[in-house]
Amino acid sequence: MTCAKETKIKVKNILNMIFEQAIEDELIQRTPLRSRSIRITGQASKPIEPYTVEQMRYLVQHIADVKKPMDRNYLALHTLHPLRPEEILGLQWQDIDFVEQMIRIERAVTHPHRNEPLLKGTKTDASRRVIDLMPQIIPYLTRSAGEHFVLGGEKPLSYT
């Protein structure tokens, strides 16, 4: 497999869960991943280059082309606001004041166990803040109930 070591470790973790279940179901007696002959090697992950100004302009100009409301909400919020991805995941509709055009950042959602979103405070105390809502994105936001998450609905979005 020619990919980064981190990718291989993620694949191994998933395979390990499958093999452990197969042992529990008595389909196999031991997991082959515990063999001493299996070694995970590979190069370090390469950092992803940030988008260029031209790429960001393109994204902003094409927000309306995004068909799925949740994807459109994410793109509109992320391209024009200084928010961490976990802060966007933690946003609830009640945090966005459309009249005063403000966004309150009060929580974040992380995924320490992949598919189980964990609602928590912001990364730092200074991260709890109020920022301006860019008025040009308001038409692109598909609103829901106040306590619902902007991305996910009643529960925050998970990796699945």
Side-chain angles (χ1 to χ4, degrees), residues 12 30-41:
K12 182 182 177 188
R30 66 182 186 88
T31 175
L33 294 178
R34 295 215 176 120
S35 169
R36 291 182 188 169
S37 64
I38 294 181
R39 291 191 184 98
I40 297 179
T41 59

Side-chain angles (χ1 to χ4, degrees), residues 24-84:
E24 205 173 292
D25 293 342
E26 298 179 356
L27 298 172
I28 59 175
Q29 293 180 359
R30 66 182 186 88
T31 175
L33 294 178
R34 295 215 176 120
S35 169
R36 291 182 188 169
S37 64
I38 294 181
R39 291 191 184 98
I40 297 179
T41 59
Q43 71 250 15
S45 300
K46 294 178 181 140
I48 298 171
E49 291 294 318
Y51 288 142
T52 64
V53 172
E54 293 79 26
Q55 290 170 319
M56 287 301 295
R57 283 188 181 131
Y58 178 86
L59 288 173
V60 171
Q61 291 168 352
H62 291 87
I63 292 172
D65 297 341
V66 178
K67 302 296 182 221
K68 292 184 178 180
M70 197 179 325
D71 294 343
R72 192 173 47 250
N73 289 344
Y74 180 81
L75 186 62
L77 286 164
H78 206 125
T79 55
L80 294 174
H81 299 91
L83 294 166
R84 293 180 176 99

Side-chain angles (χ1 to χ4, degrees), residues 68-74 76-77 91-103 133-154:
K68 292 184 178 180
M70 197 179 325
D71 294 343
R72 192 173 47 250
N73 289 344
Y74 180 81
L77 286 164
L91 279 178
Q92 294 177 329
W93 287 108
Q94 63 194 6
D95 299 328
I96 302 175
D97 185 334
F98 289 94
V99 176
E100 297 294 322
Q101 296 184 349
M102 306 292 269
I103 302 174
L133 172 65
M134 300 303 289
Q136 58 266 48
I137 72 154
I138 292 173
Y140 303 118
L141 296 176
T142 306
R143 304 178 202 182
S144 185
E147 67 280 353
H148 284 191
F149 289 87
V150 174
L151 302 178
E154 290 182 21

Side-chain angles (χ1 to χ4, degrees), residues 88-123:
I88 293 176
L89 291 172
L91 279 178
Q92 294 177 329
W93 287 108
Q94 63 194 6
D95 299 328
I96 302 175
D97 185 334
F98 289 94
V99 176
E100 297 294 322
Q101 296 184 349
M102 306 292 269
I103 302 174
R104 286 183 309 283
I105 295 91
E106 299 180 351
R107 70 194 73 74
V109 172
T110 60
H111 296 83
H113 303 291
R114 276 317 261 174
N115 295 326
E116 298 173 24
L118 175 65
L119 188 62
K120 62 180 206 165
T122 56
K123 187 171 184 177

